[in-house]
Amino acid sequence: MCTAREGRWGRKQRALLCCMLVAAWEAAWGQLRYSVPEELPKGSFVGDVAKDLALQLAALRDRGARVVSADRTQYFALHANSGHLVTAERLDREQLCRLVERCVLHCELIVEGEMKVYEIEVEITDSNDNAPSFREAETELRISEMTAPGSRFPLAEARDPDVGVNTLQSYELSGDEHFSLSVQVGADGEKRPELVLAKALDREEAAFHELVLRAMDGGEPSRTGTARIRVSVLDANDNAPVFSQAVYAVRVPEDVPVGSTLLTLTATDVDEGINANVKYSVKKATHLASEIFYLDPETGSIRLLRSLDFEEGDSYDLQVMARDGGGLSDTAMVSISVTDVNDNAPEISVRSALNEISEDAPPGTVVALLHVQDRDSGANGEVRCSLAGDVPFRLRSSVGSYYSVVTARELDREEVSEYNVTVWASDGGSPSLRSSAVLALRVLDVNDNAPVFAEARYSARLPENNAEGALVLTVRAWDADWGQNARVRYRLAEGRVRGAPLSSYVSVQAETGALYALRSFDYEEVREVGLWVRAEDGGAPALSSNVSVRLLIVDENDNAPQVLYPPAAAAAAAGAGWTGVELAPRSAEPGALVAKVVAVDADAGQNAWLSYELAKATEPGLFRVGLHSGEVRTARSPLARDAPRHSLVVVVKDQGRPALSATATLTVVLAEGVAELLSELGSAAAPAEPAGSLTLWLVLAVAAVSCLFLAFLLLLLALRLRRWRRSQLLPPASGALRGVPASHFVGIDGVRAFLHSYSHEVSLTADSRKSQRRWAADSCCNTLPARPPPDKAAPLLGEDAAGARGAPPDALPGNVPSRRVRRDRRFPRKRQGSCARCEPYVQCRAEAAGAAVHHGGEERKERSAATSPARSARSLACCVGGREGCERPRGAELQRDGEVGGNVRRRGRSRGDIQIGRR
């Protein structure tokens, strides 16, 4: 006994172990099976998917798991927080599985992050939610009174959609003793009720009999359905209708039009009259068949009420009955088979798909998971999938009817940034049906392209003397990438120009690539600037490229010609051996070379082309200048009447726009030898002696007047300050000196202070022994002539210099060196007669306290002997208005601008200018 128990226990363990192994194998292969009863509410628990598949809840949430079904209605859903499979709709087994006993629903669990599919089967078990029901609640039977006891009459069967014990189990009859119930069980297990006549009928006793037929199922609790049967007792009818066939079979295609007649039933009755009138009816049919087919009771034709669908049902069985007017009937079976027609195109369902993919994704990357099915059968349901066009993707078969779309090669966003991948599915029908699905996929950019400049090299021409910050040119680079990777920034490469950093000459705008000049260029210093501009994108890591930029400085005419020979006045003064005079023999032939003007221009090109022309000459027509050579030649032979000394002004011009020019002055002496040349120069320098003292006295007079006016102002200011101070210290009544003018308090001390506080600078000519003062034409004292007398020729610079070098020091009067002085500051013109007192005393003699001697722009200071107090007082008295101590030169004439003069500049520390002739 113990052995038997141990054997049974071992068998149970082995069975349990086998079940566990089967469950583990199914879970490993991604297939789960669950069983739930029908009529569960929405959200009811079905199974723990996460536990059964050994999936982590966090992974399910992060990777986007979801449940999909091939049906149009989704009956299940996945609870992301718990990993449970729950119902998404109310489940009714009778609606879901009408024609099958075992109701199983299929769905798939898709984990999008892993691109994996797990199949799930859920069996819907039946519950006793339907009671048996009869097609007609009331049924009328007509039975002849001649019917023998024991006769059987088929009754309408009850229908119960439930299965198993919950379906129809038994019938009961109540109501009359003349009838009893007999239940026949067919080969298919169906129970068919029959009414059995237990006792002979007598129409005269009872014309009608009321019966109740009850159908019961086996559920807990049991459900029942009833039908009322009314039996009418008729006269005798001894022949029942007979069908021409016991079974009618017909095959129709599923695309047969609605309203078509599928077949016609035929039943005959040999009786006559009302007993031969046959009526057709459907005795037994499924609910779906009753909705699809219609049996005409008069003609027996079966017509189609709505379209057939092979996928919904491929065959239908009807039990039909023919009844005559006497109540006799016959039954037959009708079998309608539906043939499949390729009327369903393949269906493509995108279970999971990526919207974006990086262009550096490796080949074989899954971008979409597709499910393909065809509701047709046979060859019509065989599906072939393909991709349209030349795309870098391919299809790979997965589990069951699933396909994966994977990359076939590396992607390049710069070639194609977006893909619309079209997936075609075709069945094997004739003609073949096809359908498509489009996958939109955007390619994400990777920084794999460096910026590319629009040109291989850049060059620009920039005029010199440009404005600081001027735009030179703009470089442009494009990056084939996208977004931040395509954002290009520019910068200059390191470099130096003339020892200075390149960044101090030019700069580049980082965003636009505009190149700006930071300083004004000079063609004479920098003629060309070579640099490199780098374009760098915003990727990580950043990619860059360089381009060379050549900046050519264009010359402008900003330099005037510079005369090298003859040298300027300053160079002439500094040079020891140059006298400034060119010698031309009087016996020179026409075209003889006298001198050559040499000039250069710092510009380049056309701006440096020089031309020479004679602008001024003492004797026009005697000399000419070569246009391009600058050679001064004789235009004709000198004549005896030609002056011995000639001054030539040569203008040197460049070819720029506007043209710039410079002048050169040549002194040409017509002489046969050096002795004649020296004598000519000495005679020209002699008349200039008497003008030296006049200039000095004029300077002293101006200084004296200025000092007096400054002293007067200072004294007036001191009196004002003193009066104001007294008004602050003394009462207002003390005003004894209120009416005295301030000018009464000016004394000699103020005049002396005014004189000592004012200084003058005198510019004198070089190499001249004699100087003359020259008053401006608009001077207040109109005593000097505006122009030199026509009978006296203006001495030349060379003559003055020669006279200065040739005469001994004691030849000058008073042994006092004199200089020719030219005043720059001119005095405003006064009315006629306003300076009558100053005219007799304007020329005074005095020694200069100090003078600034200018030789060609360089200042040289010379100091003379200190003047005696007596002379200073005499000069002051002369310029203020007295006659004492002044000498009025007789017959002195002044020379004008033809002579080389100096500049007298007066600078004072007072705020006002003192003009002679105003006071």
Side-chain angles (χ1 to χ4, degrees), residues 46 239 338 349 690 738 837 871 886:
V46 177
N239 291 292
V338 181
S349 301
R738 180 173 298 177
R837 294 181 58 192
R871 286 188 177 182
C886 296

Side-chain angles (χ1 to χ4, degrees), residues 82-101:
S82 61
H84 294 169
L85 184 68
V86 297
T87 58
E89 298 289 340
R90 175 179 170 272
L91 302 178
D92 188 356
R93 181 191 174 281
E94 287 71 32
Q95 292 182 356
L96 297 176
C97 307
R98 295 180 178 180
L99 304 177
V100 295
E101 182 177 355

Side-chain angles (χ1 to χ4, degrees), residues 627-775:
L627 180 61
H628 300 292
S629 63
E631 295 178 347
V632 179
R633 297 178 180 272
T634 57
R636 60 178 175 81
S637 298
L639 303 177
R641 58 181 176 83
D642 292 334
R645 183 172 179 175
H646 297 266
S647 178
L648 306 179
V649 178
V650 179
V651 177
V652 184
K653 292 183 179 180
D654 57 23
Q655 301 301 316
R657 292 186 180 181
L660 300 180
S661 62
T663 60
T665 303
L666 291 173
T667 300
V668 181
V669 175
L670 299 177
E672 293 298 337
V674 177
E676 185 179 353
L677 173 64
L678 294 177
S679 63
E680 184 67 30
L681 294 177
S683 62
E689 182 178 359
S693 60
L694 180 61
T695 301
L696 184 60
W697 282 107
L698 183 60
V699 172
L700 293 177
V702 173
V705 174
S706 301
C707 291
L708 286 175
F709 182 71
L710 181 60
F712 173 75
L713 292 180
L714 293 176
L715 182 60
L716 183 62
L717 179 61
L719 292 176
R720 290 292 184 184
L721 291 176
R722 184 177 181 184
R723 181 179 299 178
W724 175 78
R725 185 173 181 81
R726 285 185 178 182
S727 65
Q728 298 295 326
L729 298 176
L730 298 178
S734 58
L737 301 177
R738 180 173 298 177
V740 180
S743 62
H744 291 180
F745 297 95
V746 180
I748 192 63
D749 295 335
V751 174
R752 290 177 180 175
F754 178 76
L755 290 175
H756 285 291
S757 64
Y758 212 86
S759 63
H760 295 272
E761 291 182 3
V762 181
S763 300
L764 304 178
T765 61
D767 300 329
S768 62
R769 287 186 175 185
K770 299 177 182 181
S771 300
Q772 292 183 356
R773 286 181 220 84
R774 183 173 60 85
W775 288 78

Side-chain angles (χ1 to χ4, degrees), residues 449-455 458 476-480 488 535 545:
N449 291 278
V452 178
F453 283 94
E455 300 181 17
Y458 289 86
R476 186 76 65 182
W478 285 268
D479 197 312
V488 179
S545 60

Side-chain angles (χ1 to χ4, degrees), residues 272-306:
E272 295 180 355
I274 192 172
N275 294 328
N277 188 9
V278 178
K279 299 288 185 182
Y280 301 93
S281 63
V282 177
K283 181 180 180 182
K284 179 183 178 182
T286 62
H287 179 70
L288 181 61
S290 301
E291 294 178 353
I292 298 177
F293 305 105
Y294 170 74
L295 176 60
D296 193 333
E298 298 295 335
T299 61
S301 61
I302 298 177
R303 295 196 300 270
L304 191 63
L305 294 179
R306 65 179 180 88

Side-chain angles (χ1 to χ4, degrees), residues 697 700-702 704-705 838 841 844 874-882 886:
W697 282 107
L700 293 177
V702 173
V705 174
C838 296
Y841 315 109
C844 300
R874 185 178 62 181
S875 301
L876 175 61
C878 173
C879 294
V880 170
C886 296

Side-chain angles (χ1 to χ4, degrees), residues 410-430:
E410 292 184 353
L411 305 178
D412 190 356
R413 193 206 66 84
E414 288 69 39
E415 293 183 359
V416 180
S417 60
E418 292 184 359
Y419 287 96
N420 290 324
V421 183
T422 303
V423 182
W424 287 100
S426 304
D427 58 20
S430 180

